[in-house]
Amino acid sequence: MQMLDNHVVLVTGGGSGLGLGLARHFIGEGAQVAVMEISADKLADLKAEFGDDVLLVQGDVTRTEDLLACRQAVLDRFGRIDALVGAHGIFDGNIPLRDVPLDRVESLFDEVFHVDTLGYILAAKVFVDDLEKTGGAIVLTSSTAAYAADGGGLFYTAAKGAVRSVVNQLAFEFAPRVRVNGVAPSGIANSQLRGPRALGLENNKQSDIPKEDFESQFLTLALLPTLPTPEEYAPLYAYLASRANTTMTGQTIVADQGVFNRAVISNGAADRVGK
Ligand SMILES: NC(=O)c1ccc[n+]([C@@H]2O[C@H](COP(=O)([O-])OP(=O)(O)OC[C@H]3O[C@@H](n4cnc5c(N)ncnc54)[C@H](O)[C@@H]3O)[C@@H](O)[C@H]2O)c1
């Protein structure tokens, strides 16, 4: 018996990075998987990897009509849904508010919050009645940026903080039939997370901004000094998406490699780097 036997799971943003790793892991755990993804190029790669085993739906999570079409495709193919796993997202470019041109603040806010917060809210709204029927689960992706400064700029940090609150409120509203939890990853190896169009950074990756500084700082602070792959986060998501989870709702698991439990007096993790 595998964790996700007899589970139909939709992953939003499953085209690369975290979501792709989740899709692969969920299949390995016995799930029937659907992926909703905005990028046609990434979907073509998924088609090459998964063939017809995974239901692939092109769509934008900020568009209600796309989510409704995705819902219809999931129900047409599988007749049910047991878990909605949100893994889509964009970055804000990590620009300090002081340096964001005043005439871009509103468009930057709208873009980042539409994808990173509203996309999760709309998806939950569109699928809640179907998840009620199966006693299903919602798992959303926050970030350690929601818990401490400097995990991104203001807009990403605030949007990921909002996801924590969305988890709290939806768990309350959807109980007892639908469990709602979150995961707050720290860094993710192989991420393609792109920057915002509002700042002309849509072709930049978060991992480009400044990669060496981030990695050395992260690995120095982390008690577990490796940058996890999507597949390493996947078992947490699989558990929260599954019916095995009968004890948690309204929680966001901080998967931080021990960064927040860092040394205060000694060199702590810095001494461990290289061991
Ligand atoms: N990369 C990190 O270090 C990190 C850390 C903590 C949390 N996260 C979060 O993890 C999640 C996955 O990010 P990732 O690092 O794997 O990045 P990624 O870019 O590799 O994956 C995100 C996917 O979402 C898709 N997407 C973007 N906008 C969309 C939209 N409007 N509709 C549908 N799909 C859309 C992208 O095309 C991409 O395939 C995001 O929510 C991100 O904020 C990332």
Side-chain angles (χ1 to χ4, degrees):
M1 181 77 182
Q2 293 172 292
M3 181 77 74
L4 292 172
D5 279 346
N6 303 316
H7 287 67
V8 174
V9 184
L10 170 65
V11 181
T12 60
S16 65
L18 178 69
L20 177 55
L22 296 181
R24 289 174 175 147
H25 182 84
F26 294 166
I27 292 165
E29 285 289 349
Q32 293 174 292
V33 173
V35 166
M36 181 176 175
E37 167 61 48
I38 197 168
S39 161
D41 289 346
K42 291 180 182 180
L43 286 168
D45 291 344
L46 263 56
K47 180 79 179 167
E49 175 172 346
F50 299 118
D52 292 330
D53 291 348
V54 171
L55 172 64
L56 301 173
V57 182
Q58 185 173 13
D60 178 343
V61 291
T62 70
R63 292 167 56 95
T64 304
E65 58 268 39
D66 288 5
L67 282 161
L68 289 170
C70 177
R71 171 181 178 267
Q72 198 54 55
V74 169
L75 295 182
D76 287 349
R77 165 94 177 249
F78 302 114
R80 59 184 284 150
I81 181 168
D82 300 279
L84 164 67
V85 175
H88 63 264
I90 58 171
F91 199 48
D92 66 358
N94 201 28
I95 312 291
L97 180 62
R98 195 186 288 275
D99 298 336
V100 176
L102 184 57
D103 64 356
R104 300 293 175 88
V105 169
E106 194 175 333
S107 55
L108 180 57
F109 176 92
D110 284 350
E111 183 181 359
V112 174
F113 270 76
H114 265 78
V115 179
D116 289 356
T117 307
L118 181 64
Y120 289 145
I121 295 169
L122 281 176
K125 170 78 181 159
V126 164
F127 284 98
V128 62
D129 290 342
D130 305 305
L131 291 166
E132 281 254 332
K133 288 182 190 144
T134 55
I138 296 175
V139 190
L140 304 181
T141 302
S142 179
S143 166
T144 48
Y147 293 78
D150 202 28
L154 172 87
F155 300 86
Y156 182 76
T157 299
K160 289 298 182 181
V163 172
R164 282 175 68 189
S165 300
V166 167
V167 166
N168 292 344
Q169 183 66 20
L170 291 186
F172 168 75
E173 292 188 14
F174 294 173
R177 289 287 295 166
V178 180
R179 294 146 293 130
V180 184
N181 290 291
V183 177
S186 50
I188 302 175
N190 309 321
S191 163
Q192 304 290 313
L193 200 63
R194 73 160 176 86
R197 281 196 187 86
L199 297 179
L201 296 175
E202 65 271 27
N203 295 321
N204 286 38
K205 286 192 288 182
Q206 176 234 23
S207 52
D208 297 333
I209 314 172
K211 188 176 182 180
E212 287 72 26
D213 288 357
F214 166 72
E215 280 192 6
S216 71
Q217 175 77 345
F218 179 81
L219 297 179
T220 301
L221 291 174
L223 299 179
L224 305 176
T226 56
L227 192 60
T229 62
E231 286 78 4
E232 288 176 86
Y233 289 109
L236 283 175
Y237 282 84
Y239 176 73
L240 294 175
S242 77
R243 277 181 280 279
N245 170 31
T246 57
T247 58
M248 284 178 58
T249 195
Q251 297 299 322
T252 297
I253 295 178
V254 180
D256 71 339
Q257 300 294 103
V259 165
F260 290 160
N261 192 28
R262 58 182 174 245
V264 174
I265 295 176
S266 70
N267 272 338
D271 291 341
R272 278 186 291 278
V273 172
K275 286 187 185 168

